Amino acid sequence: MSTPHNHAEKGQIAERILLPGDPLRAKFIAENFLDHAELYTSVRNVLGYTGSYKGVPVSVQGTGMGMPSISIYVSELISEYGCRKLIRVGTCGALAKDLHIRDVVIAQAATTDSSMPTNIFGTSINFAPIADFDLLRTAYEKTKALGIPVRVGNVLSQDRFYDDEINFTKLMNYGVLAAEMEAAALYLIAQKYHVQALALFTVSDHITMDEAPSTVEERQTSFESMIRIALETVIE
Ligand code: HPA
């Protein structure tokens, strides 16, 4: 049995899965970090692979950009394929002044302007999509052990990348560390199904300060450190 968006058969996807937005990053992770990785879906070129990491079955699948896209993949991964530990690996734009390009951000919670929480809970409840505490603690400890600068806190999952209305300064003043586009939906759906989810990011650009973008090589190195952290966390 497959879905309209995923041609894997039941049993082909591991309970533990990494979720990059970019399908080619899924391919890169499968080919460079997993043992015996095999492609299980390529519907719409959204690639998904299952292999193993340190002997533990692990999958990796692209989710596309934005909350509507990741919602489709994550809902099916959980409800149809039995995924139980899901870690998004992505990039974010920094808001906090003491964050720098290449730093790692762990989303403890995800504030959002998406209508998804309101559609579910109505307007009288502002539901707080939050990370799984055990995954969060493990990822934090692994990052620290690698000596990589890391911040844990609130992120903004924004609905529009090109958004002239959003007040980043206010969000920053309320302690929101960075902006990205998927974590709130991932956390919301994981909480619905009582499974574990976490979102990890490397800072790719700075929204509130002028900071020279990292080189392609630097981006690759920080991306690879984040993948290592995510894999070490997901197999615990
Ligand atoms: N906004 C949203 N998502 C992002 C950004 C950003 O500035 N940078 C990287 N992903």
Side-chain angles (χ1 to χ4, degrees), residues 1-4 6-13 76 79-81:
M1 203 242 26
S2 62
T3 80
N6 193 329
H7 278 181
E9 296 297 326
K10 269 200 169 42
Q12 280 190 305
I13 306 181
E76 293 178 354
S79 67
E80 302 297 322
Y81 294 103

Side-chain angles (χ1 to χ4, degrees), residues 63-186:
T63 62
M65 286 181 283
M67 289 176 271
S69 184
I70 194 171
S71 299
I72 293 172
Y73 295 102
V74 163
S75 295
E76 293 178 354
L77 286 169
I78 298 169
S79 67
E80 302 297 322
Y81 294 103
C83 293
R84 290 291 172 268
K85 283 191 186 197
L86 303 94
I87 303 188
R88 163 160 159 71
V89 283
T91 58
C92 64
L95 295 173
K97 301 276 188 213
D98 57 353
L99 264 180
H100 300 287
I101 285 164
R102 300 179 58 201
D103 286 357
V104 168
V105 173
I106 303 178
Q108 182 179 13
T111 293
T112 189
D113 61 348
S114 162
S115 57
M116 283 182 202
T118 311
N119 287 342
I120 297 169
F121 294 100
T123 50
S124 65
I125 297 286
N126 289 307
F127 182 79
I130 59 167
D132 176 76
F133 179 71
D134 288 330
L135 288 182
L136 174 78
R137 180 172 53 185
T138 304
Y140 180 76
E141 284 167 0
K142 303 274 181 203
T143 313
K144 279 284 190 200
L146 287 171
I148 296 168
V150 55
R151 293 287 303 279
V152 178
N154 206 349
V155 301
L156 172 70
S157 298
Q158 59 182 129
D159 234 354
R160 286 174 293 154
F161 185 87
Y162 298 106
D163 186 336
D164 294 330
E165 288 72 35
I166 209 150
N167 187 339
F168 284 122
T169 305
K170 185 183 276 186
L171 289 159
M172 181 186 72
N173 288 341
Y174 275 75
V176 177
L177 298 174
E180 59 84 57
M181 300 189 70
E182 292 84 13
L186 169 64

